C-alpha cells in the first residue's frame, strides 16, 4: 500500500496535476464502507481529467497520440497518472479497463457541482457537457480539502431541452441512451456530420459552449467510440 507523503497537500497536488497538463477535478473523502479491495486503507480520492482543451492539448502533443498504436488516450493517461501517483505517494485508478468500472460519475458528483443531464453525461454549471476523467489518485492519508461547491443543475432551468431533440436517430429517450442506434448511424454515410463535428445532442446544449470540443477532439472521441464497438 502507498502512503501519502507528509508534504502532500492540495496546492502541491494542484501544481503537479497542472504541470502534467491535466485538470484537477476536485476530491472526495471515502466512507469506511468504501475502503475495501484496492481501496482498503485509502481515505481520499482526487479526480483528474479534461475540461475543454485543458488536458486534450497535452495529449495531442504526446508520443502516444502519434504512435499509431491502439488506445493512445488511455496509454497516455496511464503514463501521466502513474507518474503523478509515484510523485505524490498515491495509487492511480482509471475510468477505463473494466468491467468492473470504478464509479467515476458517482465520485465526480461528490467532488464538484455536477448533476446527471438527460444524456447521462454529467453537466457542470460552467463547463457544460465538455469535461471528462482520465484517472483518480487514491491517498491513504486524508487531505485537507474544502467541500465541493453547490450549484443548481443547469438542466433544471432549461425549458426547451434541445439536447433531447437534436439526435437524428432519437437515441435519447425514456429507456436511456440507445447505443446501437447511435453506432449504426455513425457507420452510415449520413452519420458523417456526427463523426466530423461530434455528437449533435451534446452540441445542442447551450451551457459551457466555450469549452465545446473542436473538430480534432470531437473526431477522436467518435472514432474511439466506434473502434471500441468493432
Ligand atoms: C460503459 C461506459 C460507456 C458505455 C455505455 C454508457 C451507457 N450505456 O450509458 C458507452 C461505450 C456507450 C459510453 C459512451 C460514452 N461515454 Co461513457 N463511460 C462508460 C464507463 C467506462 C463506465 C460506466 C459504468 O458502467 N460505471 C459503473 C457505475 C457503477 O459507475 P457510477 O459512476 O456509479 O455510475 C453512475 C453513472 O453511470 C450514472 N448513469 C449511468 N447511466 C445513466 C443514464 C442516465 C440517463 C443518467 C441520468 C445517469 C446514468 O448512474 C450511475 C450511478 O450514479 C464510464 C467511466 C467510469 N468508470 O465511470 C464512461 C463515462 C461515463 N463516459 C463518458 C463519456 C464522455 C462518454 C461519451 C460521450 C464519449 C465517447 N466518445 O465515448 C460516449 C457517449 C455517451 C452518451 N452520449 O451518453 C464519461 C462521462 C463524463 C461526464 N461528463 O459525465 C465517462 C465518465 C468516462 C470518462 N473518462 O470521463 N460510455
Ligand atoms: S440542453 Fe438543457 S437539458 Fe440538455 S443537457 Fe443542456 S442544459 Fe441540460
Ligand atoms: S453521436 Fe449522433 S447519432 Fe449518436 S447520439 Fe449523438 S447525435 Fe445521436
Amino acid at each position: 500500500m502507498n502512503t501519502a507523503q507528509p508534504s502532500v497537500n492540495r496546492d502541491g497536488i494542484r501544481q503537479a496535476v497542472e504541470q502534467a497538463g491535466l485538470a484537477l477535478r476536485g476530491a472526495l473523502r471515502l466512507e469506511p464502507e468504501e475502503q475495501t479491495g484496492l481501496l482498503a486503507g485509502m481515505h481520499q480520492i482526487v479526480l483528474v481529467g479534461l475540461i475543454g482543451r485543458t488536458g486534450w492539448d497535452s495529449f495531442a502533443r504526446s508520443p502516444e497520440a502519434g504512435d499509431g498504436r491502439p488506445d493512445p488516450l488511455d496509454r497516455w493517461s496511464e503514463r501521466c497518472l502513474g507518474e503523478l501517483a509515484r510523485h505524490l505517494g498515491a495509487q492511480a485508478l482509471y475510468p477505463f479497463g473494466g468491467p468492473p468500472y470504478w464509479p467515476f460519475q458517482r465520485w465526480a458528483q461528490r467532488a464538484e457541482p455536477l448533476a446527471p443531464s438527460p444524456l447521462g453525461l454529467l453537466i457542470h454549471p460552467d463547463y457544460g457537457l465538455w469535461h471528462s476523467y482520465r484517472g483518480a489518485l487514491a491517498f491513504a492519508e486524508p487531505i485537507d480539502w474544502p467541500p465541493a461547491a453547490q450549484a443548481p443543475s443547469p438542466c433544471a432551468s432549461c425549458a426547451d431541452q434541445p439536447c433531447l431533440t437534436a439526435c437524428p436517430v432519437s437515441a435519447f429517450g425514456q429507456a436511456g441512451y440507445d447505443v446501437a442506434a447511435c453506432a449504426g448511424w455513425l457507420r452510415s454515410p449520413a452519420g458523417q456530420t456526427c463523426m466530423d463535428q461530434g455528437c449533435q445532442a451534446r452540441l445542442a446544449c447551450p451551457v459551457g459552449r466555450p469549452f465545446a470540443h473542436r473538430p480534432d477532439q470531437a473526431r477522436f472521441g467518435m472514432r474511439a467510440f466506434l473502434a471500441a464497438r468493432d
Side-chain angles (χ1 to χ4, degrees):
M1 189 201 310
N2 290 310
T3 314
Q5 284 140 23
S7 59
V8 170
N9 57 31
R10 184 170 165 240
D11 287 343
I13 294 171
R14 176 180 295 283
Q15 197 181 21
V17 168
E18 289 175 357
Q19 270 173 7
L22 283 150
L24 184 62
R25 304 298 315 276
L28 60 134
R29 193 67 61 84
L30 288 172
E31 300 296 336
E33 62 272 19
E34 295 175 299
Q35 297 170 19
T36 59
L38 268 182
L39 294 182
M42 297 295 173
H43 285 84
Q44 190 92 24
I45 297 278
V46 173
L47 297 173
V48 177
L50 310 183
I51 300 170
R53 298 294 292 190
T54 303
W56 173 264
D57 285 335
S58 311
F59 163 66
R61 287 191 298 267
S62 72
E64 288 87 350
D67 68 11
R69 294 171 48 218
D71 304 322
L73 186 59
D74 292 351
R75 288 186 288 111
W76 172 74
S77 305
E78 283 172 336
R79 178 167 63 79
C80 292
L81 267 288
E83 282 168 13
L84 278 172
R86 275 190 295 281
H87 175 61
L88 296 167
Q91 164 98 40
L93 310 170
Y94 301 99
F96 46 85
Y101 294 108
W102 292 109
F104 269 78
Q105 288 187 303
R106 221 181 307 163
W107 286 343
Q109 291 173 74
R110 289 157 62 183
E112 284 189 304
L114 294 165
S117 72
L119 303 184
L121 300 171
L122 298 176
I123 190 161
H124 186 280
D126 300 324
Y127 324 136
L129 303 170
W130 306 105
H131 62 98
S132 59
Y133 299 88
R134 295 321 312 162
L137 299 167
F139 290 88
E141 297 300 319
I143 298 166
D144 193 24
W145 210 286
Q150 301 281 313
S153 167
C155 303
S157 53
C158 179
D160 295 340
Q161 301 204 315
C163 60
L164 284 178
T165 48
C167 172
V169 289
S170 304
F172 299 99
Q174 295 294 332
Y177 171 38
D178 186 341
V179 180
C182 170
W185 179 255
L186 295 177
R187 289 200 176 93
S188 75
Q192 287 317 296
T193 307
C194 292
M195 285 301 286
D196 290 340
Q197 296 170 5
C199 173
Q200 300 301 297
R202 209 173 172 188
L203 285 164
C205 178
V207 183
R209 284 200 197 277
F211 298 92
H213 295 169
R214 295 208 290 269
D216 60 333
Q217 195 172 358
R219 269 196 299 272
F220 178 93
M222 293 312 226
R223 289 199 178 119
F225 168 73
L226 271 192
R229 305 192 64 74
D230 280 344

